[in-house]
Amino acid sequence: MQRVNRLKQIYQTIDNGTAEHKIQNLPKFPKIIEFELTNHCNFQCLMCKTGVGTSTRERGYMSDEIFEKVIDEINHYPIALKFVGQGEPLLHPKCIDFIKKSKENGIIVHLTTNGSLLEENMIKELIEVKLDSLKFSFQGIDAEGYKTLRQKDAFEDLLDRIKMLFRLRGDNEFPYITIGTSVTNEKEEDIKNFRHLCSKICDKVEIGITTLEFIELEKIKNENTRNAFKCIQEKQNNIKKRYTCCPQIFDTIAVRWNGDITACCADLDGVMTLGNILENSILDCWNSPIENRYREILARCEYEKLELCKDCYDIYGWTYGEN
């Protein structure tokens, strides 16, 4: 069966023109909502500010009130709601219920997860409700690389959970399954082998480059590995390049667990907060003077004028292609 990636269909509606052109043709409402149920996580990944504990935002879980406010507004628009953020969505006790309610409102829904909490009963519910898209977040391409950065010996367990989803989905159309990982110093041949393995149990494999901007090298016990990562970090710092056009501010907006609406999903500490859903609509924030000012600044590539943007680079553009 040739499965449809409904999330990709939303991305395909995004204007890929210049920043100036995107300003002139700005959609009336964001195409994608990055939806953070919680910024708690059960992993302590060394390359993540949440994992290493350096994020300054208060931690918590989204309330029913905030969830309902978001759904009431966005179900009038053809958008994708991505359950993703600076934590693990499945830690939220109502994550599955929230996905169900979103689907009942006709919304295209995506879930990104580390997969560690995905049990068989959850999988059956997600298949039944026709979750559109599910992405598993790996690290590296083998158990050793995974454990080094994620501080969890869970590589094989995650593969087993994906295999279970793939088996239980059977001939059902949804969810569209993506396996995404990032690599550092892995060999090309080993990367190809990982892709070949994963392509048998999912619909798409994404392999990018691990950004080591926030990594705490001193927590890597193996000296050779630590030195190798230090060299990679220095290399990344030397070859950083700017985005030709910001991939966030013209098409996407993020809602945090406490209702804060921010201009960028990479806003880990809330420095580009536009308002709060309990007091402001997403539409008002989308069209607010400060959001439009951000767009004008970034259209001129004046990244240094914005605290969050001055250190933003297109490292995520370095990929190993797709299956």
Side-chain angles (χ1 to χ4, degrees):
M1 176 188 296
Q2 185 66 36
R3 287 179 170 81
V4 175
N5 185 349
R6 296 186 70 197
L7 180 63
K8 183 178 180 179
Q9 289 179 333
I10 293 290
Y11 275 104
Q12 288 175 334
T13 68
I14 289 176
D15 184 349
N16 291 317
T18 64
E20 291 82 357
H21 184 268
K22 289 170 78 73
I23 288 177
Q24 294 172 3
N25 295 274
L26 189 73
K28 295 180 179 179
F29 198 78
K31 299 289 186 72
I32 297 165
I33 307 291
E34 301 261 353
F35 199 50
E36 180 190 77
L37 296 189
T38 180
N39 58 347
H40 284 285
C41 190
N42 58 332
F43 280 21
Q44 293 82 42
C45 302
L46 297 185
M47 66 291 181
C48 171
K49 289 188 73 172
T50 297
V52 299
T54 56
S55 176
T56 60
R57 272 197 302 136
E58 180 185 1
R59 298 200 185 192
Y61 296 88
M62 182 173 287
S63 68
D64 288 8
E65 181 184 12
I66 289 172
F67 172 76
E68 295 292 348
K69 287 276 288 185
V70 172
I71 297 304
D72 286 346
E73 181 174 4
I74 69 174
N75 64 11
H76 303 295
Y77 301 94
I79 63 112
L81 184 63
K82 295 179 65 177
F83 283 65
V84 66
Q86 302 306 314
E88 169 51 48
L90 289 175
L91 279 174
H92 195 293
K94 289 191 173 182
C95 179
I96 303 299
D97 289 338
F98 285 173
I99 289 174
K100 287 181 178 180
K101 290 180 181 179
S102 302
K103 287 301 302 174
E104 289 169 1
N105 279 271
I107 299 167
I108 295 174
V109 180
H110 166 88
L111 169 66
T112 293
T113 175
N114 63 34
S116 62
L117 303 173
L118 197 62
E119 303 292 348
E120 183 172 346
N121 63 316
M122 292 182 182
I123 290 174
K124 290 179 178 179
E125 289 183 276
L126 293 176
I127 292 171
E128 182 178 356
V129 77
K130 297 183 179 180
L131 172 69
D132 296 281
S133 174
L134 196 161
K135 181 176 181 177
F136 291 95
S137 178
F138 262 89
Q139 184 61 49
I141 55 171
D142 56 29
E144 181 181 357
Y146 187 99
K147 186 178 180 180
T148 296
L149 284 180
R150 297 225 159 177
Q151 302 289 286
K152 292 272 188 178
D153 188 10
F155 184 85
E156 296 297 335
D157 177 70
L158 180 51
L159 281 176
D160 288 341
R161 291 173 191 268
I162 299 172
K163 290 174 184 176
M164 178 169 58
L165 168 61
F166 190 77
R167 173 176 56 82
L168 291 173
R169 185 185 67 173
D171 293 330
N172 290 289
E173 185 177 359
F174 298 106
Y176 187 91
I177 305 171
T178 299
I179 291 176
T181 194
S182 61
V183 295
T184 48
N185 58 345
E186 289 83 347
K187 296 178 181 178
E188 188 71 32
E189 186 62 30
D190 293 335
I191 293 173
K192 289 181 180 179
N193 291 338
F194 175 81
R195 182 186 297 281
H196 178 71
L197 169 68
C198 292
S199 64
K200 298 178 181 180
I201 55 173
C202 73
D203 304 302
K204 182 182 180 183
V205 181
E206 296 177 341
I207 302 177
I209 301 296
T210 304
T211 175
L212 301 179
E213 181 180 359
F214 305 118
I215 192 169
E216 292 199 358
L217 293 170
E218 64 275 10
K219 292 188 177 181
I220 299 177
K221 297 178 182 179
N222 184 286
E223 184 178 358
N224 290 334
T225 302
R226 184 169 62 250
N227 290 335
F229 278 22
K230 183 177 181 180
C231 291
I232 295 168
Q233 187 182 53
E234 291 172 352
K235 179 181 177 182
Q236 289 183 359
N237 289 335
N238 290 332
I239 60 176
K240 288 178 178 178
K241 64 176 183 178
R242 294 293 193 186
Y243 287 98
T244 54
C245 181
C246 173
Q248 283 285 314
I249 206 164
F250 301 103
D251 306 287
T252 304
I253 210 164
V255 180
R256 300 307 194 193
W257 69 266
N258 64 347
D260 281 349
I261 302 167
T262 182
C264 179
C265 72
D267 185 8
L268 306 182
D269 297 317
V271 299
M272 294 180 77
T273 299
L274 304 167
N276 188 284
I277 193 68
L278 297 177
E279 300 173 355
N280 316 99
S281 69
I282 295 173
L283 182 62
D284 286 343
C285 290
W286 180 249
N287 293 307
S288 65
I290 188 171
E291 179 80 315
N292 287 326
R293 176 175 169 269
Y294 291 154
R295 293 180 181 120
E296 291 169 0
I297 290 172
L298 293 175
R300 298 192 297 268
C301 297
E302 295 174 345
Y303 297 93
E304 68 283 352
K305 289 188 175 182
L306 299 175
E307 181 64 27
L308 182 64
C309 305
K310 66 183 179 65
D311 296 318
C312 183
Y313 296 91
D314 188 14
I315 191 169
Y316 298 103
W318 308 347
T319 66
Y320 284 84
E322 301 177 359
N323 62 323

